[in-house]
Amino acid sequence: MGVLDYLSIFCTVTSRRRRTKRRPLQTVEIKVKMDCDGCERRVKNAVRRMKGVKTVEVIRKQHRVIVSGYVDPARVLNRIKSTGKRAEMWPYIPYNLVSYPYVAQAYDKKAPSGFVKNVPQALIAPNATEERITHLFSDDNPNACSIM
């Protein structure tokens, strides 16, 4: 053990700071009732000042706010509600991702064009037999019936 190693034992500074786990980069979509430019500006400025926010996109026609960054979705929702606006998590999914878009409670007249409500009845059940049968005779399946 050298002299420098011996002296470095006395000179090391240990940090007792607790390391916090960094949140993953995520995108949060929120439905916010906005009517004018002032509403849009108020919501955008409130969210932009949050720690960890990278981008804020406001689509007033769809009443939609898209926030990307290292943020907690519940905190973003609470920050938007603190501006006095009525807000909720984005309840819609694109129309083309749903197998049964006209099932009860999925089709919503208030939804933006191209979107339906995200309800479990509109998605295909994992044990659905009709999907398996149609896949048997599909051209995409290399093990399909070759009798035809």
Side-chain angles (χ1 to χ4, degrees):
M1 189 154 126
V3 176
L4 290 177
D5 291 333
Y6 180 72
L7 292 175
S8 69
I9 294 171
F10 298 112
C11 296
T12 40
V13 178
T14 58
S15 175
R16 294 182 187 245
R17 254 180 38 194
R18 225 173 57 186
R19 294 189 123 196
T20 58
K21 188 174 180 182
R22 190 171 186 183
R23 291 185 180 90
L25 180 67
Q26 58 185 347
T27 302
V28 180
E29 297 179 354
I30 298 176
K31 180 181 177 184
V32 182
K33 180 74 172 135
M34 294 178 284
D35 296 325
C36 61
D37 291 332
C39 301
E40 179 181 339
R41 189 174 359 103
R42 185 183 307 160
V43 169
K44 193 171 187 176
N45 287 337
V47 175
R48 189 184 303 154
R49 289 188 210 131
M50 288 181 68
K51 184 178 179 182
V53 172
K54 297 294 179 193
T55 60
V56 178
E57 183 182 353
V58 177
I59 306 170
R60 186 172 53 181
K61 189 173 184 179
Q62 292 183 349
H63 299 286
R64 185 178 187 183
V65 177
I66 303 170
V67 180
S68 316
Y70 303 99
V71 293
D72 181 29
R75 285 188 176 184
V76 175
L77 185 65
N78 288 337
R79 177 65 67 101
I80 291 176
K81 285 182 177 178
S82 71
T83 62
K85 298 293 170 194
R86 193 173 10 179
E88 62 178 312
M89 289 298 194
W90 186 251
Y92 306 114
I93 57 174
Y95 181 82
N96 58 355
L97 296 180
V98 179
S99 300
Y100 308 110
Y102 293 108
V103 74
Q105 300 170 352
Y107 184 73
D108 188 8
K109 291 181 181 179
K110 295 179 182 178
S113 62
F115 289 94
V116 292
K117 275 204 167 198
N118 188 9
V119 292
Q121 295 92 350
L123 303 174
I124 293 179
N127 56 0
T129 57
E130 65 185 53
E131 185 65 29
R132 285 192 218 142
I133 292 171
T134 58
H135 185 67
L136 285 175
F137 299 101
S138 173
D139 292 334
D140 297 334
N141 185 2
N143 301 322
C145 183
S146 60
I147 297 172
M148 298 170 136

